[in-house]
Amino acid sequence: YEKKYTVLLPEKQLRDPGVENYVGGVTLSEGGEVLFTSGMKVLRSDASGTRCTPVPVANGESSYFRTLQRSADGSVYALTRYGILRYDEAEGTLVPYLRISDAGRLKDKGFYVSCILHDSRGNIWVGTSAGLDFYAKGNLAAQPVTYIHDRKDTASLRSQTILSVYEDRDGTVW
């Protein structure tokens, strides 16, 4: 068995044991581009898979990218500590999608966004380290309903940290 792989990150970056050589998420775009996060960048591989280039952020915002997530409709989202950007494949850029504005969360050094789900009814669910945010009918401008762990309520979430959200065939969100 012969191992075959291509190193896409620059050699200088690989020698530095910092956050920049950590791959947090990998996915394919609708057009088949390989996209992956590496610290403060989302990178796009060329068609040959031998070279990668950073994906620009439309508003120039800089953030640590935690992971990438592809939705059922094929959209790709880059999740950051305090928000979500959507990959605009036609423009080849990341555009702001959702920005957390809650002052308490912004002060919390451990806060992060971990996942997103667009359910079959048009609602948006965002998993965070501080609970599960629900945006009715995709209204991201509204204040979300946030579901959190309540020790006194056995029917509440078991933990504040939501790492993944899923909708089954019956439309139940897990």
Side-chain angles (χ1 to χ4, degrees):
Y1 174 74
E2 181 184 341
K3 288 185 182 179
K4 291 185 180 184
Y5 59 90
T6 302
V7 176
L8 293 172
L9 297 176
E11 188 177 332
K12 179 182 178 232
Q13 189 171 328
L14 289 172
R15 280 189 262 126
D16 181 9
V19 75
E20 287 296 315
N21 64 12
Y22 175 83
V23 174
V26 179
T27 193
L28 287 174
S29 69
E30 277 287 291
E33 296 173 300
V34 176
L35 302 167
F36 62 98
T37 63
S38 182
M40 302 291 283
K41 297 178 183 127
V42 172
L43 298 148
R44 170 183 42 230
S45 173
D46 67 6
S48 68
T50 58
R51 209 172 129 247
C52 65
T53 55
V55 176
V57 178
N59 66 357
E61 182 178 319
S62 176
S63 184
Y64 172 71
F65 291 97
R66 295 189 54 81
T67 193
L68 294 171
Q69 193 169 340
R70 188 170 169 182
S71 67
D73 72 357
S75 298
V76 174
Y77 296 92
L79 284 65
T80 70
R81 184 168 180 194
Y82 294 116
I84 300 172
L85 295 106
R86 186 183 53 77
Y87 179 57
D88 181 337
E89 192 164 357
E91 296 294 322
T93 61
L94 292 165
V95 294
Y97 184 74
L98 171 68
R99 180 88 175 134
I100 301 297
S101 58
D102 178 82
R105 289 178 168 188
L106 295 175
K107 290 179 189 174
D108 179 357
K109 300 284 186 214
F111 179 83
Y112 58 89
V113 174
S114 56
C115 60
I116 183 170
L117 169 74
H118 294 81
D119 72 22
S120 59
R121 292 173 292 287
N123 303 310
I124 298 173
W125 302 80
V126 177
T128 75
S129 59
L132 180 62
D133 291 349
F134 171 78
Y135 296 88
K137 298 295 180 196
N139 184 0
L140 296 174
Q143 191 66 19
V145 172
T146 300
Y147 299 94
I148 59 172
H149 172 66
D150 180 354
R151 291 182 197 181
K152 297 174 188 168
D153 181 0
T154 58
S156 75
L157 295 175
R158 289 288 183 226
S159 170
Q160 294 291 82
T161 304
I162 306 301
L163 298 176
S164 182
V165 184
Y166 173 76
E167 181 180 21
D168 67 20
R169 289 185 201 127
D170 298 329
T172 301
V173 173
W174 298 82

